[in-house]
Amino acid sequence: MGDRQLAFYLVSGRAPAILFEAGGGMDSSAWSKVIGPIYRATGSELILYDRAGEGRSDEDRRAYKLQNSLDDLKSGLDQIGAPRRFIFVGHSFGGQIGAGFVTENRDRFISAVLVDANIPSFFTPEAIDTMAATFPKNPDMSSKSARTVAAMMKAFPDMQAEFYAMCWPKNLPITTIMSEHSSLPSARQKKHLIEAYKEFVAEASNRTLVLAKGSSHFVMRDRPDVVEAAVIDSVKNAREDHR
């Protein structure tokens, strides 16, 4: 990426390919519990990567913008010769990357699995202000990842206002996995999130809501079986549709 490098991790396999997008402050290792079972069950090509400032990828010294991450992803996929279309799997902030990417590249996704992911309608002005108020005034800057998260927090109000206006295409099959135990601090926010998920799924007949019972926000760690089942089912449906 010019004077920077992004680390991509590839497992060769059959179509459809599967792209995994980690949450904010996390790298590709977040998926370590699920990629083995998914690969054994599907034989699909797997694509994982570390966003700028995470894992083995270099920091992006520019002010944080969602568009920078979207441009990085598109350029990276092009450089590694990734398949034109793939199944997208995104956790938390990774869902935001997915929404932005599919807005600009509507023909690239076959389907999506959103794992306790950010949903546009949740980020009302009130929700943005409430969450931004919880951020530390003097964030940790001692590591590459910490500096990246600090840059994201600084950009949060404007970035989430932009995200609020985004829409996932209604013709795209989406499985939305919701954790039972949200990491949000207040009961009001948790209720708002549940309502946002339900409204999101109700917008299109090809969207499904799955509850990961007993799970925290980190579903792929607490209930990897739920994530595996959703992704494996998405691969099965894609192959049946391709016949």
Side-chain angles (χ1 to χ4, degrees):
M1 305 299 158
D3 59 352
R4 297 181 292 114
Q5 290 189 327
L6 290 186
F8 275 75
Y9 310 89
L10 312 175
V11 181
S12 61
R14 302 167 54 197
I18 307 168
L19 170 69
F20 294 85
E21 184 78 48
M26 304 175 74
D27 58 37
S28 56
S29 66
W31 303 104
S32 59
K33 277 193 174 184
V34 302
I35 56 173
I38 289 171
Y39 184 73
R40 287 190 291 272
T42 67
S44 283
E45 178 177 351
L46 306 183
I47 306 170
L48 302 95
Y49 80 110
D50 300 331
R51 281 194 305 275
E54 304 293 352
R56 294 173 61 190
S57 291
D58 294 335
E59 289 181 72
D60 187 344
R61 298 292 186 176
R62 297 173 294 177
Y64 193 91
K65 291 183 179 179
L66 181 63
Q67 189 63 51
N68 294 345
S69 294
L70 302 181
D71 292 344
D72 275 0
L73 176 56
K74 186 176 186 304
S75 179
L77 291 173
D78 290 345
Q79 289 185 51
I80 65 172
R84 178 64 191 170
R85 302 184 73 223
F86 47 81
I87 293 172
F88 176 83
V89 183
H91 170 247
S92 193
F93 180 73
Q96 196 155 329
I97 297 290
F101 190 85
V102 77
T103 297
E104 297 180 353
N105 307 271
R106 287 184 175 267
D107 62 336
R108 297 293 303 262
F109 287 8
I110 298 169
S111 60
V113 176
L114 304 181
V115 184
D116 222 37
N118 289 7
I119 298 295
S121 61
F122 172 78
F123 289 94
T124 61
E126 179 184 358
I128 293 171
D129 290 344
T130 299
M131 294 185 73
T134 66
F135 296 162
K137 301 300 181 184
N138 297 296
D140 179 16
M141 303 289 282
S142 62
S143 69
K144 177 176 67 175
S145 179
R147 290 189 292 273
T148 299
V149 171
M152 291 175 68
M153 289 191 293
K154 183 177 181 180
F156 184 84
D158 290 340
M159 182 170 61
Q160 299 313 102
E162 177 187 6
F163 180 49
Y164 182 65
M166 292 182 183
C167 296
W168 282 86
K170 292 185 178 180
N171 63 344
L172 182 74
I174 300 176
T175 300
T176 302
I177 301 173
M178 181 176 67
S179 66
E180 183 176 16
H181 305 297
S182 169
S183 58
L184 293 171
S186 74
R188 183 175 180 178
Q189 286 178 298
K190 292 175 182 177
K191 181 181 178 182
H192 176 46
L193 180 62
I194 292 171
E195 291 172 349
Y197 274 130
K198 289 181 176 179
E199 290 172 3
F200 177 75
V201 171
E203 288 175 358
S205 60
N206 55 5
R207 296 180 184 176
T208 304
L209 183 62
V210 177
L211 176 64
K213 293 183 178 180
S215 177
S216 73
H217 178 54
F218 302 99
V219 184
M220 60 281 196
R221 179 192 66 195
D222 299 340
R223 290 295 310 274
D225 57 309
V226 176
V227 177
E228 293 158 17
V231 176
I232 292 168
D233 190 54
S234 294
V235 171
K236 178 182 176 182
N237 291 337
R239 287 175 178 161
E240 289 178 349
D241 290 344
H242 188 66
R243 289 177 183 174

